[in-house]
Amino acid sequence: MKDNNWILIVDDDADLANLVADFLEMNGYKTEIEHNGAKAVERIIAEQPMLVILDVMLPDMDGLSICRAVRHGHPGIEGSYNGPILMLTALNNDIDEVAGLETGADDYLAKPVRSRVLLARVRALLRRKPEPPVTEKLSKLHSNNESLIEFDGLSIDKKYQRIQQHGQDIELTTAEFELLWLLASRPGEICDRDSISDYFSDLGYESSHRTIDLRVSRIRRKLGDDPSHATRIKTIHGKGYLFVGD
């Protein structure tokens, strides 16, 4: 059986796909390229690569449809794909970012892609599920470790990109993790949307107020924080968001 220790790049632009593949391989990753969207669905589900880099604009089957198909099933193909999907688009607006996140993408980058930003996103997505040291204890209300934040059963570990709530792992996308980390690192402080957008811009994201609201909504759902009576991440109308500590 073929191992899945490789990244599949789905892009009809052969030159760009080869540049991305060469850069990733220079940094220690094995890659394969697929130019055909319909064939990409079959390969992703059948071969289960460790990560998929997926272009939105493809001539035969667009990236959003591919993402939806591999996440939720496709006629005539058994199975699905639960690994990380990083979507790329040349469109300079937030519509595709929102659509991509809603169809199951884990992260999003707008073209032209900066190589080191791409590498950082790939590394972050691939380290989402590492096993921390078995001696690690999540007991203090707030750790002195600058990479670990803890509040009343919620643990946010930046080093391992890991979220736990009452001992249970919570799966967040890279962007959702960064947003939760930003809010949780400022408990009791209102973070306005413009400041959040600036924070994400420094990380290489294109971020709008709409995508921020969407990510907060998704974080709340995953944490079980009722949006109509949120107790962890509160909406301060006309201002922004406030993370409630203990």
Side-chain angles (χ1 to χ4, degrees):
M1 178 181 292
K2 180 179 181 179
D3 71 73
N4 70 341
N5 190 32
W6 52 280
I7 295 170
L8 179 63
I9 301 165
V10 183
D11 198 322
D12 64 316
D13 185 332
D15 291 337
L16 178 60
N18 286 327
L19 283 173
V20 171
D22 289 345
F23 176 74
L24 290 175
E25 291 189 1
M26 285 172 54
N27 285 277
Y29 296 102
K30 292 189 291 185
T31 65
E32 295 191 17
I33 297 172
E34 179 55 60
H35 301 301
N36 181 281
K39 188 173 180 182
V41 174
E42 298 180 17
R43 291 193 63 185
I44 292 168
I45 294 176
E47 300 178 26
Q48 297 287 315
M50 67 178 179
L51 182 141
V52 175
I53 297 176
L54 177 60
D55 188 28
V56 170
M57 303 299 290
L58 294 167
D60 50 345
M61 185 176 186
D62 66 87
L64 297 176
S65 297
I66 294 171
C67 187
R68 187 180 297 108
V70 301
R71 289 301 196 208
H72 306 294
H74 191 66
I77 303 177
E78 183 178 350
S80 62
Y81 177 70
N82 294 319
I85 296 176
L86 173 61
M87 297 195 79
L88 307 179
T89 183
L91 300 182
N92 189 26
N93 56 53
D94 69 306
I95 296 175
D96 286 286
E97 179 174 8
V98 173
L101 294 172
E102 290 176 340
T103 55
D106 294 277
D107 206 348
Y108 174 99
L109 276 176
K111 295 179 179 178
V113 177
R114 287 177 286 170
S115 57
R116 297 210 172 274
V117 173
L118 173 66
L119 181 61
R121 300 292 182 80
V122 166
R123 286 173 172 167
L125 287 170
L126 291 176
R127 66 172 180 257
R128 278 172 49 190
K129 295 183 179 181
E131 289 300 319
V134 295
T135 57
E136 181 178 85
K137 300 295 182 181
L138 306 179
S139 57
K140 289 191 280 186
L141 290 178
H142 194 290
S143 173
N144 291 325
N145 184 345
E146 292 183 357
S147 69
L148 182 64
I149 296 174
E150 295 179 294
F151 290 106
D152 189 27
L154 178 65
S155 168
I156 309 168
D157 190 328
K158 193 169 182 65
K159 179 179 179 180
Y160 291 103
Q161 294 278 303
R162 190 182 196 193
I163 309 289
Q164 285 196 325
Q165 186 166 246
H166 303 302
Q168 299 296 314
D169 285 334
I170 304 295
E171 293 297 331
L172 299 184
T173 67
T174 306
E176 290 165 2
F177 181 94
E178 292 292 349
L179 178 54
L180 180 59
W181 176 267
L182 172 66
L183 296 174
S185 64
R186 295 163 173 78
E189 177 183 332
I190 298 173
C191 293
D192 64 85
R193 290 177 177 83
D194 287 338
S195 296
I196 296 173
S197 291
D198 291 342
Y199 175 80
F200 274 98
S201 294
D202 291 341
L203 296 176
Y205 286 83
E206 296 291 335
S207 188
S208 68
H209 289 189
R210 185 181 177 192
T211 55
I212 291 168
D213 293 343
L214 174 63
R215 289 189 178 111
V216 168
S217 176
R218 288 166 61 114
I219 293 169
R220 283 173 171 159
R221 175 173 53 80
K222 292 177 180 181
L223 295 180
D225 196 14
D226 183 356
S228 60
H229 300 91
T231 59
R232 183 61 80 185
I233 302 176
K234 290 184 174 291
T235 300
I236 309 300
H237 294 289
K239 295 184 178 180
Y241 292 102
L242 181 146
F243 182 91
V244 179
D246 298 321

